[in-house]
Amino acid sequence: MIVVSCLATTKSVPIPPKHYVYGSYSAYFARGLQVYIRQLRVALQGKTGDVLKTEENKIKVVALKITNNINVLIKDLFHNPPSYKSSVTLSWKPVQKAETVALKRPSGEDMGAGSTMKKQLSPCPGGMHGRSTTPPGGKYSATIGNF
């Protein structure tokens, strides 16, 4: 922290580092953005097709994309340390829906009746599965059983 001493007084006044000042500015900016995003979503809510193709609504859609991008970047800067892992959607490109969906492994019910990969439930905890345990043997264990 930087300390500035005043000539008129003998007290020193601490000046906060710049990242504290920019943090409060960006916090206020993020609050304003969230209000604006909410207003844009309300204005575009329920509109589809030809209504969205008007000039005013096109501007609102692009503004919503831009403000969402800025909000994501500001949220990443608030992490300690900043994460820089955000993904930004380009506002000048149309939204493309993902056609390829990753296939999951089939579960036991989805495999059908002929599958042999069903999981067996064990009645014994600890993974013993029907094996009997043998008592310890040896020189020191022989006298324990006499109690």
Side-chain angles (χ1 to χ4, degrees):
M1 196 171 275
I2 302 170
V3 177
V4 176
S5 61
C6 298
L7 296 175
T9 63
T10 58
K11 294 182 180 180
S12 60
V13 179
I15 296 176
K18 288 185 180 182
H19 65 274
Y20 289 131
V21 176
Y22 292 131
S24 63
Y25 291 157
S26 57
Y28 293 135
F29 186 63
R31 286 183 196 166
L33 271 179
Q34 289 170 356
V35 170
Y36 186 55
I37 288 170
R38 195 174 308 121
Q39 289 175 351
L40 287 172
R41 285 186 179 157
V42 167
L44 294 173
Q45 187 176 15
K47 296 182 181 179
T48 57
D50 294 333
V51 180
L52 283 177
K53 292 183 180 179
T54 63
E55 192 65 30
E56 180 181 339
N57 287 334
K58 283 183 182 180
I59 293 171
K60 287 181 182 179
V61 168
V62 171
L64 182 61
K65 288 179 184 179
I66 292 171
T67 52
N68 277 331
N69 289 339
I70 295 170
N71 199 24
V72 165
L73 293 173
I74 289 175
K75 281 183 181 179
D76 274 354
L77 291 176
F78 278 130
H79 289 113
N80 192 10
S83 64
Y84 306 113
K85 294 180 182 177
S86 60
S87 61
V88 179
T89 58
L90 302 176
S91 60
W92 61 87
K93 288 190 176 182
V95 177
Q96 296 177 356
K97 294 183 180 179
E99 294 178 9
T100 59
V101 177
L103 297 175
K104 294 182 179 180
R105 290 188 304 172
S107 64
E109 296 87 28
D110 295 341
M111 288 180 158
S115 71
T116 59
M117 294 183 58
K118 291 188 178 183
K119 185 176 181 180
Q120 297 176 357
L121 298 175
S122 65
C124 301
M128 294 305 294
H129 301 294
R131 291 180 286 175
S132 62
T133 60
T134 58
K139 179 172 134 180
Y140 297 107
S141 300
T143 58
I144 293 178
N146 295 336
F147 292 109

